Amino acid sequence: MVVSLPLFLGEELGWQGYLFPRLAGRGKGSRLVWAYVGTGAAFALWHLPTLLMGGQYPGRHWYVSVFAIVVSCVLILPVFTWLRLRSGSVVPAVVGHAFVSTASVSMVKEFAAPNAPVDPLHMGMTGWPGWIATGAFVAFLALTGRLRPSAYG
């Protein structure tokens, strides 16, 4: 995880430091929703080359993989943004990104039985169980007003 932090720093400087603030503007209403969805979709498309090489969802058809990565990125982006807004720094978002990437790929393989089939679509943060957990957390953040940039400015 530590070795990959510089890569995630570059990504989060782009997503949290540049794109999201420009899409969000003053962070109100539908513009804020667009900022989260638009940045999440851009985040997903950024991963398209490795995705199509079988990186995140090996053995799945490309259209299933693209759908899954878009859902994963659009759901996790508000969590990373909340970390950034709450702290005033991209560093917590970078650490969160590194953890989620590690938890969604490496940890699933580490904790699975040696001969068990590993299917990231059915386990980990980038599969449907992770979508449910992340979606519930994002709903909590939204309902409590924590996803509005103005709440921290």
Side-chain angles (χ1 to χ4, degrees), residues 114-131:
N115 296 328
V118 177
D119 185 357
L121 196 57
H122 295 289
M123 53 184 62
M125 294 292 293
T126 58
W128 65 265
W131 298 345

Side-chain angles (χ1 to χ4, degrees), residues 59-131:
R60 294 287 177 175
H61 291 289
W62 69 268
Y63 50 86
V64 172
S65 297
V66 169
F67 172 79
I69 198 78
V70 168
V71 170
S72 295
C73 289
V74 168
L75 282 172
I76 201 65
L77 188 276
V79 176
F80 296 163
T81 303
W82 170 68
L83 290 170
R84 185 214 181 273
L85 292 172
R86 182 77 169 122
S87 68
S89 170
V90 298
V91 173
V94 171
V95 173
H97 189 156
F99 174 77
V100 167
S101 292
T102 302
S104 65
V105 179
S106 302
M107 287 178 67
V108 169
K109 292 177 185 173
E110 292 298 322
F111 289 110
N115 296 328
V118 177
D119 185 357
L121 196 57
H122 295 289
M123 53 184 62
M125 294 292 293
T126 58
W128 65 265
W131 298 345

Side-chain angles (χ1 to χ4, degrees), residues 23-36 147-150:
L23 292 178
R26 295 193 185 271
K28 302 217 186 257
S30 63
R31 183 164 180 170
L32 186 57
V33 172
W34 160 245
Y36 281 113
L147 292 181
R148 289 190 312 260
S150 60

